[in-house]
Amino acid sequence: MNDKALYTLEYDKILLKLAEFAATSLGKEEAARLRPSADLDEVRRRLAVTDEAVRSVELKGAPPFGGVADVRPQLQRAKLGGVLGPSELMDIAQLIRGIRRIRKYTASVAEEISIPLLEDLVEPLIDAKPLEDEIRRCIDEQGEVMDAASPELAAIRREIRLGESRVRDKLESLIRSASVQKMLQETLITIRGDRYVIPVKQEYRSHFGGIVHDQSGSGATLFIEPEAVLQLNNKLRELKLQEQKEIERILRRLSALVGEKAELLVSDNESLGYIDFIFAKAAFAKSQFATRPEMNGEGKLRLKRARHPLIPEEAVVPIDVELGESYSAIIVTGPNTGGKTVSLKTVGLLSLMAMSGLFVPADEGSRLCVFDGVYADIGDEQSIEQSLSTFSSHMTNLIGILKRVTSRSLVLLDELGAGTDPAEGSALAVAILEHLHRIGCRIIATTHYSELKAYAYNREGIINASMEFDVATLRPTYRLLVGVPGRSNALAIASRLGLPQSIIDFARREVGDDELRVDTMIASLEQDRRRAESERKTAERLRQEVEALRKQIEEERFKFREQKAKLLEEAREEARLSVLKAKREAEQIIADLRKMAMEEAASVKEHKLIEARRKLEEAVPEPVEKPRRPAEGKPADIGPGDEVKVYSLGGQKGHVVELTGSGEALVQLGILKMKVSLSDLELVAGKKPAVDARQAKTAAAIVKRTRDDHVPLELDLRGMTLDEALIAADRFLDEAFLSNLGQVYLIHGKGTGTLRAGIQDFLRKHKHVKSFRLGAYGEGGAGVTVAELK
């Protein structure tokens, strides 16, 4: 990748920002070495691993890299047999712990989401916990070798503490003496060169034997080790030398253990730094509100609301750019300080970032291309030392670009052809653009030349663009408008600033007619664009309102379904409890029947059975009335002769005889007539000839009942004559049929059998009776006939 373009586009500043998010020095080194790749597969892999890191951080937070340092030099020394210091060994223990924590972090993330690339990076890391445990057993967090490091060290340190105690006791007894205190500068014990001493006044030097180890700056105080503690201090010194020797032996042993795994730990140290670098890319993406771009190798580029990453978020203006589909070159025109150069750098820098595996500050759905080279000629690079003018500097850069550019390159040219005669400069700019366009590379160029607007207008594959400028405020808006060429605002700005109108009019006459027509056309285009933009915003606002309403309706529908499910669950629970209650009562009734049968030796009276059966019926919970679909015809549309369905009778069909005038109708149901509420009827056929009321009265008996009337399960016929019993049985069977009863009981007693024979003969011919039988044991036996209805 072209290093000059990297510098021109400020890629190095992106790397500095990236390094700030690395937790380790190795991660910062990896960030500093990052370079764009021209390999599409490699770029996609880089972006994929960055995406895995972003999703991991969103799920589990930042990984635990704290305390991990670059210990590769220490590991190499240990590998060669060198002895490491306590703090160096603790750094290695911290590395081992960091490896273990990263393995644990990755495993916890992998349980919930797929992160194959991160798992591949973590999988080779070794688990050297026994080595870490041994180091931590011997060395504390402050980098001191602990007594527990070896039994010998513990014994030596016990002797040292005992020896120090003896020396202190001896010196304290000495300085407490009244005769000695007057010779001391201060009554305290101090240490000089690992030897315990006391501060003695200079004039009493001859009264003390022993060794002078130090004196004060003025010479008035001598720090003397008295003869009384000389041997004790010597013994203490010997013990400390033994301590130091034992510590060195412990450190050598630990260093040897580290040396055995040094090669693997060096590799793990580097891998941990690379993993830290990947998560630094994720943190950088989060700070920039960046997204993962789609990558291709076909030269297609589409940026949605792209932002320059080095401009503060509150100041940057997003741009939309598309390149490589219907056109491969964009010519951007517009006034100075309008944002042309920033737009140019935004496209180039975001391309370099994506090729480096970094997310880009643009909206979702943005697409970028992997170029084999990104070339930029931006800014005034004239050099006094090299005697290069602005024009010469641009030409030198362009010549270098033209030598290396290919059809897979991106070329960014700022102020093309500037710095020389306008006529020659514009001609040269057109020639350079034409040459690059024939090569087939992707081009974005900025210019002030009107000739380039005409060139872009007439050349297929090249499009004009401009930076929007608000003439009312005399300020640029920094918005890139693709498809609209820029126009000169010099006269409008000058007029706005107060230049006399006569001068403005003279200047306008000096401008050619063609130029004025082009300027007017551009103004018209810009006005149309503003109108379209306003309408688009209105449409977007309406779309958002509709979307909000849709979400509100979806939410209300969800709440309704939740409430419905809750009510159904409550109803089911209530029904379950009712069934359980009915079951318990039925079981109690059955138990009572069995008890009666046993007590009365199978001669249970029929009235007792009837009473028990009545209780059994009452134990059955009342059925819940099913909701019915509203009748298609209005109640007022139903009249005499209409065929209707009666909801309360299970959809039984009949004909309306007459309307009673009180919201009810007299309905003919077979041989029966009954009054039914109009709301309980559904019209199923057209009107039929009205039934004459007198004929209807002679044709059938009128049965008046409502849905709330209770029809018993049994009919007691005992004591009736056969004729009376048949009339009663006929009425009872009709009512039972209309009530949708499946089975009824006709109680006729045993007696002579005449009533039973007559009833059964009647049942055999009745249209509502499907079958009949004598009562079983517990149902009344031969004294009851059980009829099953159709």
Side-chain angles (χ1 to χ4, degrees), residues 532-584:
E533 181 71 12
S534 175
E535 292 175 355
R536 187 195 66 78
K537 288 181 178 179
T538 302
E540 178 64 19
R541 179 178 56 78
L542 293 175
R543 187 194 67 77
Q544 291 176 354
E545 291 176 0
V546 170
E547 183 66 18
L549 287 173
R550 186 190 67 78
K551 289 181 178 178
Q552 181 180 351
I553 292 171
E554 286 293 332
E555 183 66 24
E556 291 176 355
R557 185 180 299 171
F558 176 73
K559 289 180 179 177
F560 171 75
R561 286 198 294 264
E562 277 190 331
Q563 186 178 8
K564 177 182 176 182
K566 182 180 179 182
L567 292 174
L568 285 174
E569 187 61 32
E570 291 175 353
R572 289 192 187 97
E573 181 63 18
E574 186 177 347
R576 187 183 67 82
L577 295 175
S578 298
V579 170
L580 287 175
K581 179 182 176 184
K583 184 177 180 182
R584 286 194 297 268

Side-chain angles (χ1 to χ4, degrees), residues 71-72 75-76 261-271:
V71 293
R72 290 176 296 178
L75 290 169
Q76 293 294 350
K261 296 185 178 295
E263 193 168 344
L264 293 173
L265 289 173
V266 167
S267 175
D268 286 0
N269 201 188
E270 293 173 348
S271 296

Side-chain angles (χ1 to χ4, degrees), residues 210-456:
I211 302 171
V212 177
H213 287 279
D214 198 3
Q215 67 179 10
S216 65
S218 63
T221 303
L222 301 176
F223 294 94
I224 298 175
E225 179 184 6
E227 291 181 2
V229 296
L230 194 58
Q231 293 303 320
L232 293 174
N233 269 336
N234 288 339
K235 178 63 175 176
L236 202 56
R237 178 64 177 166
E238 291 175 6
L239 289 171
K240 289 189 176 181
L241 289 174
Q242 293 178 24
E243 177 192 27
Q244 197 61 38
K245 186 176 180 181
E246 180 61 19
I247 288 174
E248 186 176 349
R249 187 190 67 80
I250 293 167
L251 295 178
R252 184 177 289 107
R253 180 178 65 85
L254 293 176
S255 300
L257 293 175
V258 171
E260 293 174 3
K261 296 185 178 295
E263 193 168 344
L264 293 173
L265 289 173
V266 167
S267 175
D268 286 0
N269 201 188
E270 293 173 348
S271 296
L272 213 58
Y274 184 71
I275 295 170
D276 175 33
F277 156 68
I278 289 171
F279 279 95
K281 291 197 294 181
F284 181 55
K286 184 178 179 181
S287 72
Q288 293 281 331
F289 301 100
T291 62
R292 177 181 178 179
E294 301 172 14
M295 301 304 297
N296 68 91
E298 303 164 3
K300 296 178 180 178
L301 180 150
R302 182 180 67 243
L303 289 172
K304 298 180 178 180
R305 293 184 56 79
R307 307 175 297 280
H308 195 289
L310 298 177
I311 298 177
E313 183 185 358
E314 63 275 7
V316 69
V317 177
I319 62 170
D320 296 312
V321 182
E322 189 167 347
L323 191 64
E325 289 284 356
S326 55
Y327 48 86
S328 61
I330 300 176
I331 309 300
V332 186
T333 52
N336 288 328
T337 71
K340 298 191 302 297
T341 304
V342 171
S343 298
L344 213 63
K345 286 187 172 182
T346 299
V347 175
L349 187 53
L350 265 56
S351 295
L352 294 174
M353 289 174 63
M355 292 162 64
S356 301
L358 298 172
F359 283 14
V360 297
D363 283 1
E364 292 282 353
S366 293
R367 178 172 60 182
L368 287 165
C369 176
V370 175
F371 297 105
D372 63 1
V374 176
Y375 303 98
D377 178 44
I378 299 174
D380 185 0
E381 300 181 10
Q382 60 178 311
S383 169
I384 298 176
E385 293 179 359
Q386 298 179 17
S387 302
L388 291 177
S389 66
T390 298
F391 178 74
S392 300
S393 173
H394 281 301
M395 283 300 103
T396 301
N397 290 339
L398 281 170
I399 292 168
I401 290 172
L402 293 174
K403 288 178 179 178
R404 296 188 295 271
V405 71
T406 72
S407 61
R408 294 184 59 242
S409 301
L410 173 65
V411 180
L412 307 171
L413 304 175
D414 190 28
E415 301 294 351
L416 182 60
T420 188
D421 177 73
E424 293 183 351
S426 61
L428 190 58
V430 169
I432 291 171
L433 286 174
E434 181 64 21
H435 176 76
L436 291 172
H437 186 56
R438 282 201 302 269
I439 291 174
C441 61
R442 301 297 176 260
I443 311 163
I444 302 179
T446 69
T447 184
H448 285 290
Y449 293 136
S450 298
E451 289 81 359
L452 266 68
K453 300 178 191 176
Y455 167 73

Side-chain angles (χ1 to χ4, degrees), residues 59 570 611-612 735:
L59 185 67
E570 291 175 353
E611 179 65 20
E735 292 181 352

